[in-house]
Amino acid sequence: MSPDEQRIRARAYQLWEEEGRPEGRAESHWTQAREIIALEDNASVARRPLASDEADQAEPIEALTNLGEFPTLTDQGEMQPPVMPSEEPLSTAEPAAPDIPARRR
C-alpha cells in the first residue's frame, strides 16, 4: 500500500469515527478523505503568487472602449416614450371625516 493510500485510509477511518461509526458509508468516507488529502497536498500551490507573465495576461483596454449602450425607445423609431392613460383625476375636495360613534358610559 502506498503512503498516500495509508493517509487516505487513516483519514477515512477518522471521519468514520467522528460520525459515530455509521454502517454503509465507507465509500463516502473514502471519497471525502481523498479530497481532504488532495486539498492539503495542494494548498501551497493555491496560495502562491502569480508569475509576472501570468499577471500580464489581463484583458486589453480595447475591450472596454466600445461596449455600446442599451437600446432605448428612441432607438426603436419612437420619438417620445408612450404616455400612460391617466387614472381618475385627483379630487380637490377634502375627504369626509369618518363617522365615529359616541362612547357610552
Side-chain angles (χ1 to χ4, degrees):
M1 185 180 301
S2 73
D4 287 337
E5 287 179 353
Q6 290 175 352
R7 287 177 57 205
I8 293 170
R9 179 181 294 269
R11 182 58 63 97
Y13 183 79
Q14 178 187 2
L15 293 170
W16 177 66
E17 282 192 336
E18 287 174 358
E19 289 187 13
R21 300 180 178 193
E23 295 294 324
R25 302 270 324 267
E27 188 170 330
S28 172
H29 292 127
W30 189 266
T31 303
Q32 189 176 2
R34 277 193 326 204
E35 291 176 6
I36 291 170
I37 297 297
L39 288 171
E40 289 173 351
D41 290 348
N42 294 313
S44 63
V45 175
R47 289 190 297 247
R48 72 174 174 83
L50 292 175
S52 62
D53 59 336
E54 293 174 354
D56 293 337
Q57 294 179 0
E59 186 173 352
I61 192 68
E62 290 82 24
L64 300 175
T65 57
N66 188 13
L67 292 178
E69 297 178 8
F70 290 106
T72 63
L73 291 173
T74 56
D75 293 335
Q76 299 173 10
E78 296 186 25
M79 299 310 289
Q80 295 178 355
V83 178
M84 299 297 292
S86 63
E87 297 178 8
E88 295 180 29
L90 297 175
S91 173
T92 57
E94 294 183 22
D99 293 331
I100 301 173
R103 289 181 101 178
R104 294 184 187 179
R105 289 188 178 199

